[in-house]
Amino acid sequence: MTIGIHDISAATGSLVFALADLAEHEGIDVGKYHRGIGQTEMSLTTEDEDIVTMAARAAKPILERHGVEGIRTVVFATESGIDQSKAASVFLHGVLGLPRSARVVEVKEACYSATAAIQFGLGIVERRPSERVLVIASDVARYELNSSGEATQGSGAVAMLIAKDPAVLEIEPVSGLWTDDVWDFWRPNDRSTALVDGKYSVQVYLESLEGAWQDYRANGGAEFSSFARVCYHQPFTRMAVKAQQRLARIADPDGESGDIDRLADTVEYNARIGNTYTASIYLALLSLLDNGPDLAGERIGFFSYGSGAVGEFFAGVLVPGYKAQMRTDELQGMLAQRRSIAYDEYRHRHIAYDRVGDFETADETQGDVRFAGIAEHRRLYESR
Ligand code: HMG
């Protein structure tokens, strides 16, 4: 029996802000953003969007195609939690009308936790092959205005169905693991923006990649030269280039496997959406599936990283016919339809983001599910 990703679908916030506009107001050369960090735009959420509404928008096409039968587990990975107790997936369960007979939880470890969620799903399906596990990665990446991370903000969600005999990606059993207790990026409970030691975070990401790779190989993982592509966590797309160069240096110093041109298909969506934390590496996969050549039968590597810090390297093989499963036009349409906002509106929305007490939100989202506001400390959602 093979197990892996049976379906995958994504959504982003309904607003878009161009980094050219940010650079112009900062009085710097836009080349720093376009080439230096490899980002052109960031997706931002409207007042009535959050991790739940984006998750619903990403998951709906999967449920419409496959139904809900056999989905007894929903694991929601996020680091932009909306409640300290109630899991975001319980809100999602409600708005999507999922069956009552389900275990529904939220998991956290910075950008890494969606990979843990997938591993949990693989384990459940291994024990009970008739079951399918819905994994959601959804995040709003926010940094302080005028901080080093500002240009790398973004928002988006990826939903994946983990099942036996998958139609998209068979996930191989070997993983390489790495954890170290460090302060490279974190978000204390009283903040909605992250704190980051930017340069140090890049260094820890690369150390984690080396550590996870060595553990992957020590546990019988495949050679670097056997990967058709590697999808890296992309806090900004240039990070994938640094990662590929580092991995090539240790894993295949004399070969061509580290060719950075091979990354091009994996960065298209992230460059236009920005950091989506837990969803970022799976947006890289979706970008490859939608925009790359047909790589059926080829092995794809994955390096998942979450600050704090945890890294995992694993691999999967693309299933023949996977191209026919893709919803490329829908996601590209969603990106094209985002409402473009200018610098002043971007700054205003950033400052107005943290609202407390009871309030109602303006009707702005382009999705079917909206966050309507808060009444008596309860978050309210509406479906159209
Ligand atoms: P910075 O320090 O302002 O930028 O921000 P810089 O001065 O290092 O410039 C960036 C690059 O642009 C450099 O290239 C410059 O040379 C180049 P590099 O040396 O890196 O190859 N550059 C130009 N290129 C072309 N034309 C120009 C030009 N000017 C400069 N005119 C920093 C960089 C990463 C610190 C910042 O973006 C940041 O703080 N980001 C947030 C943290 C982050 O993303 N870290 C990544 C690793 S940690 C991670 O991935 C986890 C995370 O996703 C969170 C989680 O797990 O939850 C963040």
Side-chain angles (χ1 to χ4, degrees):
M1 181 175 71
T2 59
I3 313 176
I5 299 176
H6 190 46
D7 200 355
I8 178 168
S9 159
T12 88
S14 297
L15 302 175
V16 60
F17 178 55
L19 293 187
D21 203 351
L22 184 63
E24 190 186 324
H25 281 86
E26 289 175 330
I28 63 164
D29 177 4
V30 72
K32 172 170 173 179
Y33 296 149
H34 286 182
R35 294 189 302 283
I37 62 168
Q39 294 300 126
T40 55
E41 297 171 336
M42 60 174 82
S43 274
L44 298 169
T45 49
T46 57
E47 257 187 46
D48 56 347
E49 289 175 329
D50 67 6
I51 54 168
V52 173
T53 66
M54 290 190 295
R57 205 173 175 191
K60 259 188 150 179
I62 293 183
L63 301 181
E64 279 163 13
R65 182 183 285 171
H66 300 281
V68 297
E69 199 189 332
I71 300 181
R72 291 170 55 81
T73 305
V74 182
V75 190
F76 196 122
T78 187
E79 59 179 294
S80 349
I82 50 167
D83 192 283
Q84 295 282 25
S85 168
K86 186 169 169 178
S89 41
V90 175
F91 293 90
L92 182 71
H93 180 274
V95 297
L96 291 178
L98 291 169
R100 285 268 167 90
S101 306
R103 64 169 75 81
V104 170
V105 292
E106 180 177 314
V107 291
K108 175 173 69 187
E109 168 34 42
C111 302
Y112 162 73
S113 63
T115 299
I118 289 174
Q119 294 293 352
F120 301 157
L122 295 171
I124 288 169
V125 177
E126 177 91 40
R127 280 172 66 91
R128 297 261 304 166
S130 59
E131 294 193 14
R132 301 180 298 170
V133 176
L134 183 62
V135 169
I136 306 286
S138 183
D139 267 305
V140 180
R142 300 186 74 244
Y143 292 91
E144 287 288 300
L145 295 174
N146 310 317
S147 69
S148 72
E150 182 178 1
T152 68
Q153 297 175 110
S155 63
V158 174
M160 290 168 278
L161 193 60
I162 305 301
K164 71 170 181 182
D165 302 328
V168 177
L169 183 82
E170 296 170 2
I171 298 181
E172 296 180 330
V174 180
S175 270
L177 305 173
W178 184 95
T179 290
D180 197 11
D181 181 2
V182 295
W183 293 94
D184 63 330
F185 166 108
W186 66 104
R187 184 170 68 81
N189 283 346
D190 57 352
R191 298 179 62 98
S192 71
T193 50
L195 297 169
V196 65
D197 185 342
K199 300 277 192 233
Y200 178 56
S201 72
V202 170
Q203 188 188 318
V204 183
Y205 176 118
L206 294 172
E207 272 170 30
S208 163
L209 170 63
E210 272 200 50
W213 171 257
Q214 274 151 6
D215 189 54
Y216 174 75
R217 291 290 287 152
N219 280 281
E223 288 181 8
F224 189 48
S225 56
S226 73
F227 294 103
R229 299 285 190 281
V230 180
C231 296
Y232 297 93
H233 166 55
Q234 294 171 14
F236 49 92
T237 67
R238 185 82 193 153
M239 191 68 229
V241 174
K242 291 179 194 284
Q244 176 95 331
Q245 287 169 336
R246 174 68 71 98
L247 196 51
R249 206 157 62 229
I250 57 168
D252 187 22
D254 304 318
E256 288 178 5
S257 335
D259 182 358
I260 55 169
D261 289 345
R262 291 179 178 215
L263 295 171
D265 303 324
T266 73
V267 302
E268 287 193 27
Y269 292 151
N270 286 296
R272 296 182 60 192
I273 294 174
N275 196 352
T276 51
Y277 292 159
T278 52
S280 159
I281 179 176
Y282 299 102
L283 266 178
L285 170 63
L286 203 45
S287 179
L288 174 64
L289 301 178
D290 278 350
N291 306 306
D294 191 338
L295 295 171
E298 300 277 3
R299 176 176 286 122
I300 308 298
F302 294 87
F303 175 62
S304 179
Y305 176 76
S307 285
V310 177
E312 176 162 347
F313 195 99
F314 67 102
V317 175
L318 287 169
V319 178
Y322 76 87
K323 277 273 183 192
Q325 305 291 319
M326 296 300 111
R327 302 176 183 82
T328 310
D329 291 347
E330 280 88 330
L331 184 54
Q332 291 185 352
M334 196 185 292
L335 291 178
Q337 279 156 21
R338 291 173 299 174
R339 185 168 77 76
S340 176
I341 59 173
Y343 184 74
D344 288 347
E345 181 174 350
Y346 154 70
R347 301 264 305 185
H348 174 75
R349 283 182 181 270
H350 195 284
I351 293 161
Y353 187 89
D354 296 313
R355 292 173 79 173
V356 290
D358 287 0
F359 60 89
E360 286 179 13
T361 56
D363 189 343
E364 301 184 294
T365 180
Q366 293 167 3
D368 291 343
V369 173
R370 59 182 299 274
F371 164 52
I374 294 186
E376 296 175 356
H377 301 284
R378 296 166 190 211
R379 291 181 83 83
L380 305 175
Y381 292 89
E382 287 173 358
S383 295
R384 300 191 225 269

